[in-house]
Structures are given as structure tokens and as C-alpha cells.
Amino acid sequence: AALRTSRLLARPASRFRLCSKRAYSSVTRCVDASPKDVKRAAAGEKRLVTDASAVLAELASAVSESSETSPRSPRFSRNLRKLSLYAKHGDTIKGFFEPSLLRLYLTIDAVHERLGVSGALVEIGVYHGKSFIPLALIAQKNERCVAVDCFEDQAVNHDHSGEGDFKAFWGNVENAMCVCQGNEERREGVSHDDDGDDDEKNDWFRILQTDSARLVDDSSPLTKATGNTSVRLFSIDGCHTSEATVKDLRIASETLHEKGVVILDDVFNPDWPGVVTGLFDWREEVLKDGTPKKGNVTGTTSTTNSTSTSSTPGTSTSSTTNDSTEDSWHAYGLEPFAIGFGKVFMSRPATRDLYFHAFCEQGEEKKSSSSVRKTAKFMGQNCAVFRHGWISTFHGNE
């Protein structure tokens, strides 16, 4: 049991064939649904179909739209088409992921394209892959996607926040990549053959089967999995205790691209108070100790420019502010810019305002399910506030 608990497996995509010869049904599940799943699906089917259909229609409409004054880039159009397909297909995968989040992911990627940001896309706590797959779909050439989960090793799942299933995850990613990417639109740099002639084309996808807390003391497996690059989009949905949240935020902060984004799930979920507690504990740790504890990742910490208008949350900009603490916060700190659909979106202080304004413009031209509702302060910063989401509201605690 000790050996099983301590193992760390990195599975390269050379063992992973994106499109097998087997024909998949769009409604096929990789594992049988439990009685609770059946009951939940029956109770929420009408609302789910309505909500997913609205998002699908919104994305489909956006695909056909074109503007002479603001033309869509080829990258944005490709991502839009793939996520439009996933808005429908994703409903067949178990998990809590609001369809409207797809539009917000598009906004983040559009900002990254404009800023020239490139890097890995990582998620801690992938469950069956419902929220990991959108990251894989928007990943660009030479960018790696890394999934971190203990899967069947439930001895390290201390709060039982979700029992991962490696077989289900693997099959769901494989299926979704087949369904949501046409033959003419295969992700650049990905080999669809198992001949092993080009390893570089086969290693865009990595799986770390481990307790993410171990990466704090030894982050080299994650560094290797990302190809020794910083992370431009880091999703955290792992163990929901305060201690685990602190550790996951350390990892995310230390590996984040200077203009990257961290997405933290269940911050306001009343069933998991450890998440919001961990967020503030981590913030206090950075402000008090100056730098995160352990787990430094070579070449991934970043600096920010002096044009930022954000200040350290909860502090003033008076002359009594400790310079080293302020510098550390700007180097390692994360400030929220948006709240919605069960998640909090954060970035470095230097880019917080940029993302905030980009999200405030979301759906501004016409109200939709993914339009910003209002702005409100959280951790001392104005945030764009979106709907909480019906899945989070009615079923999140299950």
C-alpha cells in the first residue's frame, strides 16, 4: 500500500491514440452511472438541456459572426468551433462544469493570443475530464496539457471530494478529441499514429497520477511534464481541504506564466469551506513569509512590470509598506478578477486589470448566459461577477 501510495506515473501520449478505429457514440459513458447519478440526471435534465442549448446557440452564433472592425483571428475561430461542439458533447461526461465557462475560457485564450502568451495548460483534480477537455481543445502548437490526479489511489483523497477514474478519464479525453476536432482541424503538432517515429508530436499530453501535495516538496515531475515551461492556464479542483488548497496554490503560483491565469473551483461552495479558507491562508503566507514555501520550479517564476495599477490586497500603498513583501506579492501573488459558475479567476497583480476589463466586456453587446451581471469586491479587488450556475447551486454539494 505504501508503494502504491508513493508512486508517481507520468504517462506520455505515445501510449494514447487520440482517434481509435472504434466508432464512438456521442452519448457513450465510460463507466456506468450510479443510482444517485441517474436521479440527479432525471431531476435536472430539463434545465441542463435548456442551459446547454442556450450556450450552444450562443457559441454557434458567434462562429457565424464576423466584424470588419474587429475580425476574429483564425485561432479564435478554431477554438470557437471546437468548444461549440464540446458544449453539446460535454453533457455526456460526468462532472460539475458549467457550459457557460466555455465562453470565459475563450476570452482568456483571446487575451493570451493578443499578449503573445504561450505555455502549458494544467489541471489538478481532473475527475472524469469534463473541465480538463476544454483546456486540451484550446491548447496551441507545442503547448502541453497536464492532468494531475490520484485517480483510484483514494487513500490520499482525504476529503472524498471526488473519486477519479483513470479509465473513464482516458476514454473521455480520447472520445472528445475525436468528436470536437475535424480531420482538417487536428491540433497542430499532434501525431495520430502509433508508429513512434516522432516522439515530439506524441508528448503534448501528460498524466501525473499522484497526490498533488507531493509536488510542493518535489516539483520536478510537473516541470518535466510541462516541458520545463511555465503554465499559462492552471485549473485547481483537487482536494478541498484548506491545507491541500494552500499547497495547490503554491504549485500554481510557482509555475504560472507572468501573464497566466489560475482558476480555483468551489471557493464559494458552502459544502467545501476549506477552499476559501485555504485561499486566504495562502495569501497570508505569501504576504508574511515573502516567498512561497518549497517547491520552486526552475524558470517559471515571473516578474511584473511597473505599470500595474493593482496593489497588494488588503494593504495600502503608504510608505510603511515593506518593499520586499510588496515585490514578493507582485512576483508570486494572485489577485481575483472574476467570479462565476462556481469558480474564481485570478492572475498576477500586473495583469489583473487587463483580465478584469476583458471579462467585463463579456457579452456586453447582448445579454446571454455568460454575460457579466455586475462587479463586486473580493480580496480587495473589483471582480466581474457572473452567474453562480444552476449546477453549482443545486447539485454542487453532491
Side-chain angles (χ1 to χ4, degrees):
L3 288 173
R4 183 176 67 253
T5 301
S6 63
R7 70 183 177 182
L8 179 62
L9 301 178
R11 294 187 170 120
S14 58
R15 296 177 54 194
F16 178 74
R17 187 176 180 82
L18 286 179
C19 286
S20 67
K21 296 178 181 179
R22 170 187 171 190
Y24 282 98
S25 166
S26 63
V27 296
T28 298
R29 291 182 184 270
C30 294
V31 295
D32 293 332
S34 67
K36 178 185 286 188
D37 294 322
V38 174
K39 183 178 180 181
R40 180 191 298 128
E45 181 179 3
K46 183 177 180 180
R47 181 64 185 268
L48 175 61
V49 172
T50 301
D51 192 44
S53 296
V55 174
L56 177 60
E58 178 187 345
L59 291 174
S61 174
V63 169
S64 61
E65 288 178 359
S66 61
S67 170
E68 294 182 0
T69 58
S70 181
R72 302 190 187 281
S73 70
R75 169 173 166 172
F76 185 91
S77 297
R78 287 195 305 269
N79 288 342
L80 190 55
R81 283 192 293 270
K82 288 184 285 188
L83 293 187
S84 295
L85 291 171
Y86 187 69
K88 180 179 181 180
H89 173 77
D91 186 34
T92 68
I93 302 173
K94 289 179 64 175
F96 300 115
F97 182 81
E98 303 284 347
S100 294
L101 282 166
L102 296 173
R103 195 62 190 265
L104 303 187
Y105 281 28
L106 277 171
T107 300
I108 294 173
D109 191 73
V111 172
H112 286 177
E113 181 183 16
R114 188 166 75 248
L115 298 178
V117 176
S118 179
L121 297 91
V122 177
E123 181 167 67
I124 292 177
V126 298
Y127 191 49
H128 288 205
K130 195 178 186 77
S131 59
F132 175 82
I133 292 169
L135 301 182
L137 290 172
I138 65 174
Q140 303 302 304
K141 183 177 181 180
N142 299 325
E143 289 183 332
R144 288 190 177 183
C145 295
V146 181
V148 183
D149 202 296
C150 63
F151 292 109
E152 284 78 12
D153 187 8
Q154 291 299 303
V156 296
N157 185 12
H158 304 296
D159 64 348
H160 307 289
S161 55
E163 295 185 9
D165 187 312
F166 181 83
K167 182 179 179 181
F169 170 73
W170 189 288
N172 286 335
V173 175
E174 180 180 24
N175 192 5
M177 298 302 282
C178 290
V179 171
C180 300
Q181 293 190 127
N183 289 327
E184 74 288 350
E185 204 178 59
R186 294 297 178 197
R187 180 179 169 221
E188 300 89 338
V190 176
S191 172
H192 302 285
D193 298 320
D194 292 332
D195 54 17
D197 290 339
D198 192 343
D199 290 338
E200 291 186 359
K201 291 184 177 181
N202 278 324
D203 70 354
W204 70 271
F205 178 40
R206 282 284 192 269
I207 299 175
L208 295 182
Q209 185 172 331
T210 184
D211 178 5
S212 61
R214 298 194 185 103
L215 299 175
V216 175
D217 296 319
D218 180 13
S219 57
S220 60
L222 181 59
T223 303
K224 181 178 179 181
T226 60
N228 201 31
T229 63
S230 57
V231 180
R232 72 176 177 97
L233 191 51
F234 205 125
S235 173
I236 300 176
D237 191 11
C239 183
H240 285 29
T241 65
S242 58
E243 295 82 3
T245 301
V246 168
K247 292 178 180 179
D248 287 347
L249 283 168
R250 287 181 195 166
I251 298 165
S253 175
E254 294 161 10
T255 59
L256 192 68
H257 188 285
E258 64 178 354
K259 298 176 183 177
V261 170
V262 172
I263 304 173
L264 182 61
D265 190 53
D266 284 329
V267 174
F268 297 108
N269 189 328
D271 204 41
W272 304 111
V275 179
V276 68
T277 302
L279 173 59
F280 279 87
D281 286 349
W282 169 82
R283 170 183 175 274
E284 183 179 358
E285 175 185 286
V286 176
L287 291 174
K288 179 181 179 181
D289 298 336
T291 58
K293 299 176 181 178
K294 301 182 180 181
N296 291 325
V297 179
T298 304
T300 58
T301 52
S302 55
T303 57
T304 56
N305 60 53
S306 59
T307 60
S308 170
T309 58
S310 296
S311 60
T312 305
T315 64
S316 68
T317 55
S318 65
S319 57
T320 59
T321 301
N322 184 281
D323 290 340
S324 61
T325 299
E326 185 173 349
D327 289 344
S328 177
W329 179 256
H330 279 272
Y332 294 100
L334 296 170
E335 295 183 350
F337 60 84
I339 302 167
F341 309 108
K343 300 180 183 291
V344 169
F345 298 77
M346 300 178 286
S347 70
R348 296 288 191 228
T351 54
R352 194 217 75 89
D353 288 352
L354 186 153
Y355 285 109
F356 170 70
H357 292 301
F359 269 54
C360 283
E361 295 171 359
Q362 179 69 45
E364 195 175 63
E365 68 283 356
K366 55 182 180 181
K367 294 299 179 181
S368 66
S369 60
S370 57
S371 297
V372 63
R373 293 177 59 243
K374 62 179 181 179
T375 61
K377 278 199 171 184
F378 178 58
M379 294 177 67
Q381 300 296 335
N382 279 326
C383 295
V385 179
F386 298 82
R387 290 192 309 163
H388 188 54
W390 78 271
I391 295 177
S392 298
T393 300
F394 293 105
H395 303 296
N397 292 345
E398 298 179 14

Short mmCIF file of all heavy atoms in Angstrom, two decimals, residues 158-196:
data_model
loop_
_atom_site.label_atom_id
_atom_site.label_comp_id
_atom_site.label_asym_id
_atom_site.label_seq_id
_atom_site.Cartn_x
_atom_site.Cartn_y
_atom_site.Cartn_z
N HIS A 158 -8.31 12.86 0.97
CA HIS A 158 -8.65 12.98 2.38
C HIS A 158 -10.08 13.47 2.62
O HIS A 158 -10.68 13.14 3.64
CB HIS A 158 -7.65 13.91 3.07
CG HIS A 158 -6.24 13.47 2.93
ND1 HIS A 158 -5.76 12.29 3.45
CD2 HIS A 158 -5.17 14.04 2.27
CE1 HIS A 158 -4.48 12.15 3.16
NE2 HIS A 158 -4.09 13.19 2.44
N ASP A 159 -10.63 14.27 1.74
CA ASP A 159 -11.97 14.81 1.99
C ASP A 159 -13.03 14.16 1.09
O ASP A 159 -14.19 14.55 1.12
CB ASP A 159 -11.99 16.32 1.80
CG ASP A 159 -11.68 16.72 0.37
OD1 ASP A 159 -11.23 15.84 -0.41
OD2 ASP A 159 -11.88 17.89 0.01
N HIS A 160 -12.62 13.19 0.30
CA HIS A 160 -13.55 12.46 -0.59
C HIS A 160 -14.35 13.43 -1.47
O HIS A 160 -15.54 13.26 -1.68
CB HIS A 160 -14.51 11.59 0.24
CG HIS A 160 -13.81 10.68 1.19
ND1 HIS A 160 -13.09 9.57 0.77
CD2 HIS A 160 -13.68 10.72 2.56
CE1 HIS A 160 -12.57 8.96 1.82
NE2 HIS A 160 -12.91 9.63 2.91
N SER A 161 -13.65 14.42 -2.00
CA SER A 161 -14.33 15.44 -2.82
C SER A 161 -14.63 14.95 -4.22
O SER A 161 -15.30 15.64 -4.99
CB SER A 161 -13.46 16.71 -2.90
OG SER A 161 -12.16 16.41 -3.36
N GLY A 162 -14.18 13.77 -4.59
CA GLY A 162 -14.48 13.22 -5.92
C GLY A 162 -13.56 12.06 -6.22
O GLY A 162 -12.34 12.20 -6.11
N GLU A 163 -14.12 10.93 -6.54
CA GLU A 163 -13.31 9.75 -6.82
C GLU A 163 -13.02 9.67 -8.31
O GLU A 163 -13.90 9.39 -9.11
CB GLU A 163 -14.03 8.49 -6.34
CG GLU A 163 -14.22 8.44 -4.84
CD GLU A 163 -14.83 7.13 -4.38
OE1 GLU A 163 -14.95 6.21 -5.21
OE2 GLU A 163 -15.18 7.03 -3.20
N GLY A 164 -11.78 9.93 -8.66
CA GLY A 164 -11.38 9.90 -10.06
C GLY A 164 -11.39 8.49 -10.62
O GLY A 164 -11.32 7.51 -9.88
N ASP A 165 -11.46 8.39 -11.91
CA ASP A 165 -11.47 7.10 -12.60
C ASP A 165 -10.57 7.23 -13.81
O ASP A 165 -10.91 7.91 -14.78
CB ASP A 165 -12.91 6.75 -13.02
CG ASP A 165 -13.02 5.36 -13.60
OD1 ASP A 165 -12.21 5.01 -14.47
OD2 ASP A 165 -13.95 4.62 -13.20
N PHE A 166 -9.40 6.58 -13.74
CA PHE A 166 -8.42 6.75 -14.80
C PHE A 166 -8.96 6.28 -16.15
O PHE A 166 -8.80 6.95 -17.17
CB PHE A 166 -7.13 5.99 -14.46
CG PHE A 166 -6.06 6.13 -15.51
CD1 PHE A 166 -5.24 7.23 -15.52
CD2 PHE A 166 -5.91 5.17 -16.50
CE1 PHE A 166 -4.26 7.38 -16.50
CE2 PHE A 166 -4.94 5.31 -17.48
CZ PHE A 166 -4.12 6.42 -17.48
N LYS A 167 -9.61 5.12 -16.17
CA LYS A 167 -10.13 4.57 -17.41
C LYS A 167 -11.18 5.49 -18.02
O LYS A 167 -11.19 5.74 -19.22
CB LYS A 167 -10.72 3.19 -17.17
CG LYS A 167 -11.25 2.51 -18.43
CD LYS A 167 -11.80 1.13 -18.11
CE LYS A 167 -12.36 0.47 -19.37
NZ LYS A 167 -12.92 -0.89 -19.07
N ALA A 168 -12.07 6.01 -17.16
CA ALA A 168 -13.10 6.93 -17.64
C ALA A 168 -12.48 8.21 -18.18
O ALA A 168 -12.87 8.72 -19.24
CB ALA A 168 -14.08 7.24 -16.52
N PHE A 169 -11.50 8.76 -17.44
CA PHE A 169 -10.84 9.99 -17.88
C PHE A 169 -10.17 9.79 -19.23
O PHE A 169 -10.35 10.59 -20.16
CB PHE A 169 -9.81 10.41 -16.84
CG PHE A 169 -8.91 11.53 -17.28
CD1 PHE A 169 -9.39 12.83 -17.37
CD2 PHE A 169 -7.59 11.28 -17.62
CE1 PHE A 169 -8.56 13.87 -17.80
CE2 PHE A 169 -6.75 12.30 -18.04
CZ PHE A 169 -7.24 13.60 -18.13
N TRP A 170 -9.39 8.74 -19.33
CA TRP A 170 -8.66 8.45 -20.57
C TRP A 170 -9.63 8.34 -21.75
O TRP A 170 -9.44 8.93 -22.80
CB TRP A 170 -7.87 7.16 -20.40
CG TRP A 170 -6.91 6.84 -21.48
CD1 TRP A 170 -7.22 6.41 -22.74
CD2 TRP A 170 -5.49 6.90 -21.42
NE1 TRP A 170 -6.07 6.21 -23.48
CE2 TRP A 170 -4.99 6.49 -22.68
CE3 TRP A 170 -4.59 7.24 -20.41
CZ2 TRP A 170 -3.63 6.43 -22.95
CZ3 TRP A 170 -3.24 7.17 -20.70
CH2 TRP A 170 -2.77 6.77 -21.95
N GLY A 171 -10.68 7.55 -21.57
CA GLY A 171 -11.65 7.35 -22.64
C GLY A 171 -12.41 8.61 -23.00
O GLY A 171 -12.68 8.86 -24.18
N ASN A 172 -12.75 9.42 -22.00
CA ASN A 172 -13.48 10.66 -22.28
C ASN A 172 -12.65 11.66 -23.06
O ASN A 172 -13.16 12.34 -23.96
CB ASN A 172 -13.95 11.29 -20.97
CG ASN A 172 -15.12 10.55 -20.34
OD1 ASN A 172 -15.88 9.88 -21.04
ND2 ASN A 172 -15.26 10.66 -19.03
N VAL A 173 -11.36 11.78 -22.72
CA VAL A 173 -10.49 12.69 -23.47
C VAL A 173 -10.34 12.19 -24.91
O VAL A 173 -10.45 12.96 -25.87
CB VAL A 173 -9.10 12.80 -22.80
CG1 VAL A 173 -8.16 13.65 -23.65
CG2 VAL A 173 -9.24 13.42 -21.41
N GLU A 174 -10.12 10.91 -25.06
CA GLU A 174 -9.97 10.32 -26.39
C GLU A 174 -11.22 10.56 -27.23
O GLU A 174 -11.15 10.98 -28.39
CB GLU A 174 -9.70 8.83 -26.26
CG GLU A 174 -9.51 8.13 -27.60
CD GLU A 174 -9.25 6.65 -27.44
OE1 GLU A 174 -9.63 6.08 -26.41
OE2 GLU A 174 -8.64 6.06 -28.36
N ASN A 175 -12.36 10.30 -26.63
CA ASN A 175 -13.63 10.47 -27.33
C ASN A 175 -13.87 11.91 -27.73
O ASN A 175 -14.21 12.22 -28.87
CB ASN A 175 -14.77 9.97 -26.43
CG ASN A 175 -16.09 9.82 -27.17
OD1 ASN A 175 -16.17 10.00 -28.38
ND2 ASN A 175 -17.13 9.50 -26.43
N ALA A 176 -13.68 12.84 -26.77
CA ALA A 176 -13.95 14.26 -27.03
C ALA A 176 -13.03 14.83 -28.10
O ALA A 176 -13.46 15.64 -28.93
CB ALA A 176 -13.81 15.07 -25.74
N MET A 177 -11.76 14.42 -28.09
CA MET A 177 -10.83 14.93 -29.10
C MET A 177 -11.23 14.45 -30.49
O MET A 177 -11.00 15.14 -31.48
CB MET A 177 -9.40 14.51 -28.77
CG MET A 177 -8.88 15.06 -27.44
SD MET A 177 -8.89 16.86 -27.34
CE MET A 177 -7.44 17.26 -28.32
N CYS A 178 -11.82 13.26 -30.56
CA CYS A 178 -12.30 12.77 -31.85
C CYS A 178 -13.53 13.54 -32.32
O CYS A 178 -13.64 13.94 -33.48
CB CYS A 178 -12.65 11.29 -31.75
SG CYS A 178 -11.24 10.19 -31.58
N VAL A 179 -14.47 13.76 -31.38
CA VAL A 179 -15.74 14.38 -31.73
C VAL A 179 -15.59 15.87 -32.03
O VAL A 179 -16.24 16.40 -32.94
CB VAL A 179 -16.76 14.18 -30.58
CG1 VAL A 179 -18.03 15.00 -30.82
CG2 VAL A 179 -17.10 12.71 -30.43
N CYS A 180 -14.75 16.56 -31.28
CA CYS A 180 -14.69 18.02 -31.35
C CYS A 180 -13.62 18.57 -32.29
O CYS A 180 -13.50 19.78 -32.45
CB CYS A 180 -14.47 18.60 -29.95
SG CYS A 180 -15.77 18.16 -28.79
N GLN A 181 -12.83 17.71 -32.90
CA GLN A 181 -11.83 18.15 -33.86
C GLN A 181 -12.03 17.42 -35.16
O GLN A 181 -11.91 16.20 -35.20
CB GLN A 181 -10.41 17.88 -33.35
CG GLN A 181 -10.03 18.70 -32.14
CD GLN A 181 -8.56 18.58 -31.84
OE1 GLN A 181 -7.84 19.57 -31.72
NE2 GLN A 181 -8.08 17.37 -31.70
N GLY A 182 -12.32 18.15 -36.22
CA GLY A 182 -12.45 17.52 -37.53
C GLY A 182 -11.09 17.12 -38.06
O GLY A 182 -10.04 17.57 -37.59
N ASN A 183 -11.08 16.25 -39.07
CA ASN A 183 -9.81 15.77 -39.64
C ASN A 183 -8.97 16.91 -40.19
O ASN A 183 -7.75 16.88 -40.13
CB ASN A 183 -10.09 14.76 -40.76
CG ASN A 183 -10.63 13.45 -40.22
OD1 ASN A 183 -10.26 13.03 -39.14
ND2 ASN A 183 -11.51 12.82 -40.97
N GLU A 184 -9.66 17.93 -40.72
CA GLU A 184 -8.93 19.05 -41.30
C GLU A 184 -8.48 20.03 -40.23
O GLU A 184 -7.77 20.98 -40.49
CB GLU A 184 -9.80 19.78 -42.32
CG GLU A 184 -10.93 20.64 -41.72
CD GLU A 184 -12.08 19.82 -41.12
OE1 GLU A 184 -12.08 18.59 -41.35
OE2 GLU A 184 -12.95 20.41 -40.46
N GLU A 185 -8.91 19.80 -38.99
CA GLU A 185 -8.64 20.74 -37.92
C GLU A 185 -7.95 20.07 -36.75
O GLU A 185 -8.14 20.44 -35.61
CB GLU A 185 -9.95 21.37 -37.46
CG GLU A 185 -9.80 22.72 -36.81
CD GLU A 185 -11.15 23.30 -36.43
OE1 GLU A 185 -11.88 22.68 -35.65
OE2 GLU A 185 -11.48 24.38 -36.95
N ARG A 186 -7.18 19.03 -37.04
CA ARG A 186 -6.45 18.37 -35.97
C ARG A 186 -5.45 19.33 -35.35
O ARG A 186 -4.87 20.16 -36.03
CB ARG A 186 -5.71 17.14 -36.50
CG ARG A 186 -6.63 16.04 -37.00
CD ARG A 186 -7.47 15.49 -35.89
NE ARG A 186 -8.37 14.48 -36.38
CZ ARG A 186 -9.45 14.03 -35.74
NH1 ARG A 186 -9.75 14.54 -34.57
NH2 ARG A 186 -10.20 13.09 -36.25
N ARG A 187 -5.28 19.18 -34.05
CA ARG A 187 -4.38 20.07 -33.36
C ARG A 187 -2.99 19.96 -33.94
O ARG A 187 -2.44 18.87 -34.09
CB ARG A 187 -4.35 19.71 -31.88
CG ARG A 187 -3.44 20.62 -31.09
CD ARG A 187 -3.46 20.24 -29.63
NE ARG A 187 -2.39 20.95 -28.96
CZ ARG A 187 -1.60 20.43 -28.05
NH1 ARG A 187 -1.76 19.20 -27.69
NH2 ARG A 187 -0.65 21.14 -27.50
N GLU A 188 -2.40 21.13 -34.28
CA GLU A 188 -1.07 21.14 -34.87
C GLU A 188 -0.07 20.52 -33.91
O GLU A 188 -0.10 20.75 -32.71
CB GLU A 188 -0.63 22.59 -35.17
CG GLU A 188 -1.54 23.33 -36.14
CD GLU A 188 -2.68 24.03 -35.44
OE1 GLU A 188 -3.02 23.65 -34.30
OE2 GLU A 188 -3.23 24.97 -36.03
N GLY A 189 0.86 19.74 -34.49
CA GLY A 189 1.92 19.16 -33.68
C GLY A 189 1.55 17.87 -32.98
O GLY A 189 2.32 17.38 -32.18
N VAL A 190 0.36 17.32 -33.26
CA VAL A 190 -0.04 16.09 -32.62
C VAL A 190 -0.03 14.95 -33.63
O VAL A 190 -0.60 15.06 -34.70
CB VAL A 190 -1.46 16.21 -32.02
CG1 VAL A 190 -1.90 14.87 -31.44
CG2 VAL A 190 -1.48 17.26 -30.94
N SER A 191 0.64 13.89 -33.29
CA SER A 191 0.68 12.73 -34.17
C SER A 191 -0.51 11.83 -33.88
O SER A 191 -0.85 11.60 -32.73
CB SER A 191 1.98 11.94 -33.96
OG SER A 191 1.93 10.73 -34.67
N HIS A 192 -1.15 11.33 -34.91
CA HIS A 192 -2.29 10.44 -34.73
C HIS A 192 -1.92 9.02 -35.10
O HIS A 192 -2.78 8.18 -35.30
CB HIS A 192 -3.46 10.92 -35.60
CG HIS A 192 -3.86 12.32 -35.26
ND1 HIS A 192 -4.58 12.62 -34.13
CD2 HIS A 192 -3.59 13.49 -35.87
CE1 HIS A 192 -4.76 13.94 -34.07
NE2 HIS A 192 -4.17 14.47 -35.11
N ASP A 193 -0.64 8.75 -35.19
CA ASP A 193 -0.17 7.41 -35.49
C ASP A 193 0.60 6.89 -34.28
O ASP A 193 1.19 7.65 -33.52
CB ASP A 193 0.75 7.40 -36.72
CG ASP A 193 0.02 7.86 -37.97
OD1 ASP A 193 -1.14 7.47 -38.12
OD2 ASP A 193 0.62 8.61 -38.77
N ASP A 194 0.61 5.59 -34.14
CA ASP A 194 1.30 4.97 -33.02
C ASP A 194 2.63 4.36 -33.45
O ASP A 194 3.14 3.44 -32.83
CB ASP A 194 0.44 3.87 -32.41
CG ASP A 194 -0.79 4.44 -31.71
OD1 ASP A 194 -0.70 5.58 -31.24
OD2 ASP A 194 -1.82 3.75 -31.65
N ASP A 195 3.19 4.88 -34.54
CA ASP A 195 4.43 4.28 -35.03
C ASP A 195 5.65 4.75 -34.25
O ASP A 195 6.74 4.20 -34.38
CB ASP A 195 4.62 4.59 -36.52
CG ASP A 195 4.54 6.09 -36.82
OD1 ASP A 195 4.67 6.90 -35.88
OD2 ASP A 195 4.36 6.43 -37.99
N GLY A 196 5.48 5.81 -33.45
CA GLY A 196 6.57 6.28 -32.60
C GLY A 196 7.70 6.95 -33.36
O GLY A 196 8.78 7.14 -32.83
#
